[in-house]
Amino acid sequence: MSEARTYVVLLGVPGAGKGTQAKLLEQSTGLPQVSTGDIFRYNLKNQTELGKLAKSYMDKGDLVPDDVTIRMVEDRLQQPDCARGAIMDGFPRNLVQAAAFDKVTAPFGGVRVVPLINVEDDETIRRITGRRSCRTCGAVYHVTLNPPKVEGICDVDGGELYQRDDDKEETVRNRLFVYYKQTSPLIGYYFAKGVLAEVDGSRSINEVQQALMALMG
Ligand code: AP5
Ligand code: MG
Ligand code: ZN
């Protein structure tokens, strides 16, 4: 086996706080956030072939096909900044992706821990409807729950804040449906492997961050 790496998989419904917490974990652990949603949005903005393909799925709130997504993640994990592991945000998202991720991570000790960030659906809808995302770095804010210092501007890099296209109520409802149908089986999958750790995500951003840090060991 090669030298062990730290792969963390954040699980949770849309709006649970995966992106928010992944960014904070990146700062405190130095492990990079790998967000498939952010990579797709970056490609969409730059109108790449990948972006054009992903758009039709993302607009509906459906998953982008596995072959494309898995290849994209494999490439990303080979970048030098992932040499110690990664904080996975939004991947794997179904059992096929989880099996592929097991293959990629097996030589490095497999998946270390899978925090499941638990939040009620009502609260996630409230969070998503007020969310604002940075166009350049993907940092997330909320108009009342977590506002930026200056309205409309990212604290981190001064990027423009915008509302995601897939944050419309109808699309959010389908994203939740897709989560329960395709992603929630991963809870049992990782529980059986002994790496699942439930975290109460209804608390403040800071409290959730403390709970996640405690799991990092
Ligand atoms: P993706 O971008 O991954 O979206 P998602 O899973 O639906 O999750 P969100 O980003 O909506 O929520 P989050 O948990 O990150 O919450 P956040 O931290 O922003 O995926 C989008 C699309 O891309 C998919 O629909 C699919 O089409 C495609 N895709 C992506 N990955 C794929 C894959 N692997 N395979 C196939 N397709 C894929 O927080 C939400 C809000 O709440 C923010 O406003 C934040 O400020 C606020 N907040 C966070 N925590 C707290 C707290 N503790 N208290 C108060 N407010 C909080
Ligand atoms: Mg996110
Ligand atoms: Zn930014």
Side-chain angles (χ1 to χ4, degrees), residues 12-21 35-38 40-41 54 57-59 61-66 69 89-93 97 123 127-128 130-132 140-143 145-146 164 166-167 175 201-206 208:
V13 291
K18 300 181 296 294
T20 302
Q21 295 299 333
S35 162
T36 40
D38 282 357
F40 286 134
R41 280 184 287 278
Y57 298 94
M58 294 176 83
D59 281 351
D62 289 336
L63 296 187
V64 178
D66 289 333
T69 306
D89 162 14
F91 183 96
R93 222 173 172 102
Q97 295 182 9
E123 173 65 8
R127 289 183 184 181
I128 286 179
R131 170 168 52 199
R132 297 291 181 272
V140 280
Y141 300 87
H142 190 283
V143 285
L145 302 171
N146 181 29
R164 273 167 48 178
D166 63 348
D167 280 352
R175 280 161 55 203
S202 67
R203 295 170 294 173
S204 72
I205 290 173
N206 192 28
V208 177

Side-chain angles (χ1 to χ4, degrees), residues 185-207:
L186 297 187
I187 298 171
Y189 181 83
Y190 286 120
F191 178 80
K193 287 180 180 288
V195 289
L196 190 80
E198 296 200 47
V199 171
D200 176 5
S202 67
R203 295 170 294 173
S204 72
I205 290 173
N206 192 28
E207 284 169 312

Side-chain angles (χ1 to χ4, degrees), residues 4-8 30-34 77 79-88:
R5 295 182 178 179
T6 306
Y7 290 107
V8 178
L31 296 168
Q33 170 196 24
V34 173
L77 291 175
Q79 302 299 311
D81 63 324
C82 295
R84 289 196 306 117
I87 312 287
M88 306 304 296

Side-chain angles (χ1 to χ4, degrees), residues 101-118:
F101 192 56
D102 277 349
K103 260 199 198 145
V104 172
T105 58
F108 310 104
V111 175
R112 176 79 61 91
V113 62
V114 181
L116 169 62
I117 307 177
N118 282 317

Side-chain angles (χ1 to χ4, degrees), residues 110-212:
V111 175
R112 176 79 61 91
V113 62
V114 181
L116 169 62
I117 307 177
N118 282 317
V119 177
E120 300 282 330
D121 285 355
D122 285 357
E123 173 65 8
T124 69
I125 302 267
R126 187 167 81 108
R127 289 183 184 181
I128 286 179
T129 45
R131 170 168 52 199
R132 297 291 181 272
S133 309
C134 175
R135 269 201 203 282
T136 43
C137 79
V140 280
Y141 300 87
H142 190 283
V143 285
T144 53
L145 302 171
N146 181 29
K149 293 198 178 80
V150 181
E151 197 190 322
I153 309 245
C154 177
D155 292 350
V156 182
D157 62 355
E160 180 204 355
L161 301 186
Y162 77 110
Q163 187 160 24
R164 273 167 48 178
D165 282 345
D166 63 348
D167 280 352
K168 292 190 292 275
E169 197 183 327
E170 205 185 288
T171 316
V172 171
R173 233 179 283 125
N174 189 48
R175 280 161 55 203
L176 281 168
F177 177 77
V178 168
Y179 172 84
Y180 287 115
K181 206 169 166 190
Q182 303 197 44
T183 309
S184 66
L186 297 187
I187 298 171
Y189 181 83
Y190 286 120
F191 178 80
K193 287 180 180 288
V195 289
L196 190 80
E198 296 200 47
V199 171
D200 176 5
S202 67
R203 295 170 294 173
S204 72
I205 290 173
N206 192 28
E207 284 169 312
V208 177
Q209 170 69 6
Q210 298 301 319
L212 291 174

